[in-house]
Amino acid sequence: MNHLPLSGIRIADFTQVWAGPFNTLWLGILGAEVIKIESQKRPDPWRLPTPGANVTAQLGLNKAPGFVGIDFGKLSCTINLTTQKGVALAKELVRISDIVTENFSAEVMDRFGLAYENLQKVKSDLIMLSTTGMGHAGPFRNFLAYGPAVHSFTSLTTATGYPEGPPQPTAGGWSDILSAEMATFTLLSALHQREKTGQGQYIDLSMSEVMASMIPESIMDYTMNQRLAERVGNRDEIMAPHNCYRCQGDDKWVAIAVTGEEEWQALCQVVGHPEWTQEARFADPVSRWQNQGELDPLITQWTKERTAYEAAELLQKAGVPAGPTLHFGEVINEPHLKARGFYVETDHPELGKGLLCRMPWRNEDGYQGRYETAPLLGEHNDYVFGQLLGLSEKELAQLKEEMVIY
Amino acid sequence: MERGALSDIRVVEYGDFISAPFAAKLFADAGADVVKVEAPYLGDKARRSGPFFKDAPDLERSGLFLYLNTNKQSFTLDLKKPLGARIFKGLIREADILIENQPIDTMKSLGLDYTTLREVNPRLIMTSITPFGQSGPYRNWKASDLIITHMSPLAYSTPYVVEDPERYSPIKPAGHQADFAAGLTAAVMSLVAFHDRRHTGQGQHLDLAAYEAVVATFASFLTTYSYNKEVLPRAKALNPRGGGFGSGGLFPCQDGWIQLHCGMDHQWHNFVKVMGLPAWALDERFGERSSRAMHWDLVEPHITKWTSQHTMEEVYSACQKNHVPCLPCNDTAQLLESEQFRVREFFVQFDHPETGPLTYPGVAFQKSRVPSEERRPAPVLGQHNEEVLCGRLGYSRETLIKLREAEVI
């Protein structure tokens, strides 16, 4: 099938880094025409080299692999929004778009003269989505916040960490991506609403609120019992054993989560200690949970003689939930993900061959998604300004010379 | 989005614990009509998971369940009984979307797999969430939040670096992040299919692996790895960068911790001003983004020394005033008291018969917050049996009584 669910939808995309681009990434895969608006003055910062060993290889604005991974399938045009002509051009683009997305700090679009009130005059049924760390209202509306700061503000960081240790940060972009997915759900709802009513709308999405809507356990425990969350590492509140265990090799671990008696008995069989099921300290779930400090080192005696994959496979064969702890290099070679076609090969004009992640769902009989590589900065200027907006070659040349298209 | 944006969509949820219930909650809170099918007597597993109101375990007092099932109807049905399965098909005939997260092959063993249900309703969108999906070598593997978290890069990157990797293993973030991410993805893909149905006129079966839902959140870093093949070790001594983006991290203050980020050069220069231009900070290795990140291990102790002399508020206020991203590490109580969330009316009250009024997290997508009269608390087990069976499906009250006696509902 060659149709895509969002064919015919056009998005003027002012977003940058993660929280915005991951949303338009999915919308693009689903068939929307996503036009990224940047400039040499203000490129998406994710085009800058990622600090690391190969930083010089990434110089220029088209060689950051991280950008390819989150901005593929989009078009790029460059408009200098600090010029009046640039703002007028951006408005022309909005006029022919269905959706505007942006994730600048709260006052930026306003400063450009591109606030929703202004854009709605150009396109009356416009849907516009702003994503910020704190939302566009409230005393912290102008606060700058990346993912990790959102985790901190919403108490995720305070609740994460080793028992008796300090708070620990969750992987940096977690709340960015959750916010992006919530943005996708919200925009699809708004499109549906527009279809029913003919009306657009403005959506003020706060990353902190998205994050707080996904940690209800600790919030409800506080509002119901006035209890503050404790840091528990990998442990569970009820189940044990529930941890990751050292395996053969450098920094290799296997995670094991026993959720019931059958699994506990199976675990004891696999590790060669059926007698543990009879020992008072481990015999019932409560004792096991209380004595997991004794139990964990005993399990490690078995895991450390095996690779993480061996341990996980032996346990799974016996019906015990287990899995190897994997880093990026291992996840990209994961046999299960490969077998399900999770990665798509891409060929980028400046970076060459690499891998992209597919959307995480499969629908055998339906649409398959569009996977094109990431745009070079300004690669689609002629298409966007010439074909879509109808500027002549002469006008285009002049705007380039005036550094409006820049 | 506007209130009730999805009010013309009918969803049936056959879900347990977090992922499918959270997906269906997003639909319900956006106005969709959601019938939650639960096993008689037992109900959703979340009913038996804490935290419990006043620490008293009870099917109607789980805070997790109460939050995840707002605005839904509860219909108890024993799908293992042929009559139960038949009633379920009646429900499916009228539905747009079925969201389920039963163990793999459960629906098939109940005679309720997609092939069967499609015959009942060719426009049905069926969203199945399993740990590893319907195909692939691990399709029959069991998993939980912990396992998915560890097999994705999430645990390995939490925290990014530790002093001693032997002592400090990778850990999962608090709560059930993988389960929530799977539920959110399930909501998105179900709604995509609903849009798609307008083109095709047909339903579809969607196969979501919770594992892939979590791995996909690392798309940018995975593509990066595919090009540069660089693994960042967890040992602090081998990874001077610290945080994943470089130039950031948690720092102790007199009264707690703050999260700081100086990835961009102007942010760094502003932060140096905030600290009062100390001599150490003028070291030219710290001035440029990449070099600063690669020498972050040298920067960190200096910042720690400075932040330790201040309160959280002193540090984050001064930083934000100078356009440096910095926020305090709140605990749950501080979050609930936050003026920012209060002004935005994020937290909302739900009045449930078993607990009385309680404060819940709200929904993140509401344009104008939902007024209290439109907030329906989570249903008690089987609360809507009569409404669904007699009202919606047209069974008589006598049949209802018989079905109850036969323990079908």
Side-chain angles (χ1 to χ4, degrees), chain A residues 232-273:
Chain A
V232 296
N234 284 314
R235 289 180 174 169
D236 184 74
E237 275 174 21
I238 307 163
M239 300 181 282
H242 195 276
N243 210 337
C244 79
Y245 302 86
R246 194 67 172 84
C247 293
Q248 266 179 15
D250 183 23
D251 203 20
K252 300 297 178 211
W253 307 76
V254 64
I256 303 172
V258 167
T259 67
E261 284 313 289
E262 244 174 73
E263 290 172 7
W264 164 241
Q265 284 163 14
L267 173 91
C268 294
Q269 285 291 339
V270 173
V271 303
H273 289 283

Side-chain angles (χ1 to χ4, degrees), chain B residues 287-352:
Chain B
E288 186 276 328
R289 172 183 147 88
S290 296
S291 171
R292 178 168 63 257
M294 297 310 283
H295 295 97
W296 193 246
D297 56 332
L298 304 178
V299 175
E300 249 179 358
H302 290 293
I303 300 182
T304 300
K305 207 170 155 192
W306 180 76
T307 54
S308 303
Q309 296 160 8
H310 298 277
T311 65
M312 292 190 287
E313 195 179 343
E314 282 167 5
V315 174
Y316 77 71
S317 299
C319 284
Q320 291 286 355
K321 210 170 277 171
N322 290 281
H323 310 290
V324 178
C326 179
L327 283 166
C329 268
N330 287 325
D331 62 24
T332 313
Q334 290 162 328
L335 173 68
L336 279 152
E337 286 156 15
S338 138
E339 185 67 1
Q340 178 66 16
F341 274 41
R342 197 191 58 72
V343 168
R344 289 177 59 86
E345 299 178 354
F346 172 71
F347 291 107
V348 290
Q349 290 249 317
F350 278 92
D351 191 355
H352 186 275

Side-chain angles (χ1 to χ4, degrees), chain A residues 85-104:
Chain A
K85 280 187 181 173
V87 171
L89 206 53
K91 283 186 180 169
E92 286 311 302
L93 193 52
V94 170
R95 193 191 301 280
I96 57 163
S97 299
D98 300 279
I99 295 173
V100 167
T101 52
E102 64 96 8
N103 66 333
F104 293 120

